[in-house]
Amino acid sequence: MTAGTLRVVLADDQHLVRSAFAMLVGSAPDMEVVGEAADGQTALELTRATRPDVVLMDIRMPILDGIEATRLIAADPELPGVRVLVLTTYEDDENVVAALRAGAGGFLVKDTRPAELLAAIRTIGAGEALLSPGPTARLISRVLRMPAGRTAGEPESVLVAELSAREREVLTLVGRGLTNAEIGTLLGLSPLTAKTHVSRIMSKLGARDRPQLVVIAYESGLVVPGDDLSSM
């Protein structure tokens, strides 16, 4: 292994899927597969033993599912640098939200093109969050439906209500999937200032990463499924 190489653990109960991912990751000059697991328990044990940069995690696995394995990895104080990238199908919407709540750094659908998957591993490995653009709005709309009587801009959470007006604006845009650069452009801020706002919001809300902010934005009522930037 050379300096800068991303160390990856693959967790999927289908041997052919793991083999395909292993070949793909192994073909990248900046990545190395350091372990393969057919169930969540083995994935957890391998992660603790090898301390990879990224765990490519399937959700539906025997013994210990990917959600619980993700939760245990994210909560382990000995694994602060390990990031989990969840792979899913469109049928796993509820589970994806659960995985994000558990601490996953992002998710992709399993039919993502090879180049996009490698790019996603690099993004997650660099400590950034990643939400697959296609299913994001769909899963949020389906799973995080707003209770009757609540509208965008009326946060229920006390923590969110205590954010400044600017921080609520930024959180709303994070919930809509915008990058720091896009948030900066829309609000007239530099990307660095937008990033600083996002970091402060994470700290105030106790969020591990950007995907958890997306969940909070919808659950708190700052963003309503189906709304758009014209409502800002």
Side-chain angles (χ1 to χ4, degrees):
M1 183 181 72
T2 59
T5 298
L6 285 172
R7 304 171 74 251
V8 182
V9 162
L10 306 174
D12 195 294
D13 63 344
Q14 297 184 48
H15 177 72
L16 289 177
V17 173
R18 289 200 316 277
S19 297
F21 286 152
M23 290 181 62
L24 176 62
V25 173
S27 70
D30 59 341
M31 298 182 195
E32 175 189 19
V33 176
V34 296
E36 297 183 35
D39 61 79
Q41 183 61 43
T42 302
L44 177 61
E45 293 169 357
L46 275 173
T47 299
R48 287 171 172 165
T50 63
R51 308 289 179 90
D53 299 295
V54 178
V55 179
L56 210 55
M57 184 81 76
D58 186 25
I59 289 181
R60 296 176 178 175
M61 292 187 292
I63 304 179
L64 188 69
D65 66 35
I67 295 172
E68 186 59 24
T70 296
R71 192 186 323 279
L72 292 171
I73 290 171
D76 193 329
E78 299 298 319
L79 303 173
V82 177
R83 305 279 289 171
V84 177
L85 176 59
V86 170
L87 291 176
T88 183
T89 64
Y90 282 126
E91 287 72 32
D92 286 329
D93 288 354
E94 293 86 352
N95 287 330
V96 167
V97 173
L100 295 178
R101 290 190 180 117
F107 72 90
L108 285 176
V109 292
K110 283 190 173 180
D111 61 356
T112 297
R113 290 180 293 184
E116 293 175 348
L117 177 58
L118 293 179
I121 293 173
R122 294 184 182 103
T123 297
I124 292 293
E128 300 177 32
L130 184 141
L131 298 175
S132 184
T136 298
R138 181 178 176 278
L139 81 87
I140 291 293
S141 178
R142 177 179 170 186
V143 182
L144 302 180
R145 295 187 183 281
M146 299 295 298
R150 286 173 59 201
T151 59
E154 297 178 351
E156 177 182 281
S157 165
V158 173
L159 285 175
V160 172
E162 291 179 349
L163 294 178
S164 69
R166 174 63 82 190
E167 287 168 341
R168 288 197 296 274
E169 284 182 315
V170 172
L171 178 57
T172 299
L173 296 176
V174 170
R176 290 171 177 167
L178 273 67
T179 65
N180 291 338
E182 291 168 337
I183 291 172
T185 297
L186 195 63
L187 298 182
L189 307 171
S190 71
L192 180 58
T193 299
K195 181 179 180 180
T196 298
H197 278 303
V198 172
S199 296
R200 288 176 179 170
I201 294 168
M202 285 183 184
S203 179
K204 285 187 176 183
L205 301 182
R208 174 184 170 93
D209 50 31
R210 205 177 190 94
Q212 289 191 332
L213 287 185
V214 173
V215 173
I216 291 171
Y218 277 86
E219 290 186 323
S220 67
L222 285 175
V223 180
V224 175
D227 66 1
D228 56 43
L229 294 179
S230 64
S231 64
M232 288 292 294

